Amino acid sequence: MENKRGYVNRIIARNVAELLTFGLMAFFIAPLLLVLINAAKTNNEIISTPLALPQNWGVLWTNITTIWNNVNIRYSQALFNSTIVTFFSLAGITIFSAMAAWVLLRTKTKMSTAIFMMFVAAMVIPFQVVMFPLVKWFGVFQNFTGIPMLRSYFGIIVAYIGFGSSMSIFMFHGFMKSIPHEIEEAAYMDGCGKVRTFFYIVLPILKPIYVTILILNGIWIWNDFLLPMLVLGKGTPVQTIPLAVNNFAGAFLVSWDLMMTAILLALIPVVIFFLSAQKHIIKGMVEGSVK
């Protein structure tokens, strides 16, 4: 009797867990569905019936064409700018963070421990605390050296590398603890220097955590609005996608149809990137935060 009751309780618990899972899935996927159905509507349709299905799905292609050919918004240029900024920012974050984490882990001194703890402490500093001093010092550095830090690719990429390195170093550092030191010692005995050991021995082992850090930082950089707004500003040639989407919202009129379509186009590369690398995400996050 007790075994039967326990079996029934397990079935009930499993069904409740499945219902909660589907409820959470519906909760998180609802905004994406709203963006999709509203991207295929006119502005008047969105205002009158935002939750209804579109009357004509062909409006979606019309909205896409309108956005792509809009000379004032320059969405195609914004897409190119976001791709450039995201690619080089991720390259800098991952390479520099992996190298820094490896040196801090293998160098057993009080100084290396203190530096690592400084990176960990930097993770809890809100961006809003440093955003205005950042812009101020970027302007001072640009005036002093002549290197363009504001309204340029270089400035926004440097900013992203700086803000994204703390968490990345923390995760790389935790993951590298699982790499046996004997592997590196064997490479040294075979004549490899530190540079070759890192790039040919250590770096290939970091693939799971590497992909995880690419996903986490890539989604943040691709969708970020505040940092590009401060460093790049509005009305400059270097406009990322969030800044371009913001141009559809005027002071007295919002083009909801074009804004929804622009958001939908911005989601597609992130979703494809996430789906293609999702098998590495959980493994990298678990191993990077626990070990």
Side-chain angles (χ1 to χ4, degrees):
M1 187 67 179
E2 292 182 0
N3 291 336
K4 184 177 180 180
R5 183 178 299 175
Y7 175 76
V8 172
N9 291 336
R10 287 195 297 270
I11 293 297
I12 294 174
R14 186 180 66 180
N15 291 337
V16 171
E18 289 178 354
L19 288 175
L20 289 175
T21 302
F22 281 112
L24 288 173
M25 182 186 71
F27 178 77
F28 285 109
I29 205 172
L32 300 179
L33 294 177
L34 286 175
V35 169
L36 176 61
I37 64 176
N38 285 307
K41 297 179 182 179
T42 62
N43 202 45
N44 292 331
E45 283 185 81
I46 296 175
I47 294 173
S48 59
T49 56
L51 300 180
L53 292 175
Q55 299 177 3
N56 180 14
W57 284 95
V59 176
L60 176 60
W61 179 250
T62 303
N63 290 339
I64 293 175
T65 305
T66 302
I67 290 174
W68 207 259
N69 296 329
N70 192 313
V71 294
N72 296 322
I73 303 300
R74 299 193 300 273
Y75 192 83
S76 58
Q77 181 64 37
L79 181 64
F80 174 78
N81 294 337
S82 286
T83 303
I84 294 295
V85 170
T86 303
F87 177 81
F88 285 101
S89 297
L90 290 178
I93 289 172
T94 51
I95 293 295
F96 295 150
S97 298
M99 295 172 68
W102 184 59
V103 172
L104 292 173
L105 178 65
R106 297 310 185 201
T107 306
K108 301 295 184 180
T109 63
K110 293 183 179 180
M111 181 61 68
S112 62
T113 303
I115 294 174
F116 175 70
M117 295 308 299
M118 290 175 60
F119 280 114
V120 174
M123 294 170 57
V124 301
I125 300 176
F127 170 72
Q128 291 77 7
V129 175
V130 298
M131 60 183 185
F132 290 117
L134 171 71
V135 176
K136 177 67 175 179
W137 280 107
F138 268 22
V140 172
F141 184 82
Q142 177 174 311
N143 294 332
F144 183 75
T145 63
I147 300 175
M149 301 298 293
L150 299 174
R151 294 176 170 80
S152 68
Y153 289 117
F154 182 75
I156 190 67
I157 290 172
V158 169
Y160 276 129
I161 292 175
F163 284 109
S165 294
S166 297
M167 183 191 69
S168 302
I169 289 174
F170 174 74
M171 296 182 68
F172 274 127
H173 192 276
F175 188 90
M176 288 178 183
K177 292 180 181 178
S178 64
I179 302 176
H181 197 199
E182 290 76 12
I183 296 178
E184 299 172 29
E185 292 177 346
Y188 293 146
M189 293 180 64
D190 289 340
C192 287
K194 287 189 175 182
V195 175
R196 292 186 61 188
T197 299
F198 174 78
F199 283 101
Y200 289 98
I201 305 299
V202 177
L203 199 58
I205 302 176
L206 300 178
K207 182 179 179 181
I209 190 65
Y210 208 91
V211 175
T212 302
I213 291 174
L214 284 176
I215 289 290
L216 295 177
N217 287 294
I219 294 175
W220 159 56
I221 294 171
W222 186 267
N223 295 325
D224 187 35
F225 173 79
L226 186 54
L227 187 56
M229 184 66 181
L230 292 170
V231 177
L232 300 178
K234 295 187 66 174
T236 59
V238 185
Q239 294 278 293
T240 57
I241 287 180
L243 297 181
V245 171
N246 185 61
N247 291 329
F248 292 111
F252 304 100
L253 180 64
V254 179
S255 301
W256 291 109
D257 51 346
L258 301 182
M259 181 178 289
M260 292 296 106
T261 307
I263 293 173
L264 180 64
L265 293 176
L267 285 173
I268 294 175
V270 177
V271 172
I272 294 174
F273 185 37
F274 182 85
L275 293 177
S276 62
Q278 62 178 335
K279 65 179 181 179
H280 300 286
I281 296 175
I282 301 300
K283 180 180 177 182
M285 291 185 67
V286 171
E287 296 187 15
S289 60
V290 175
K291 291 185 178 180

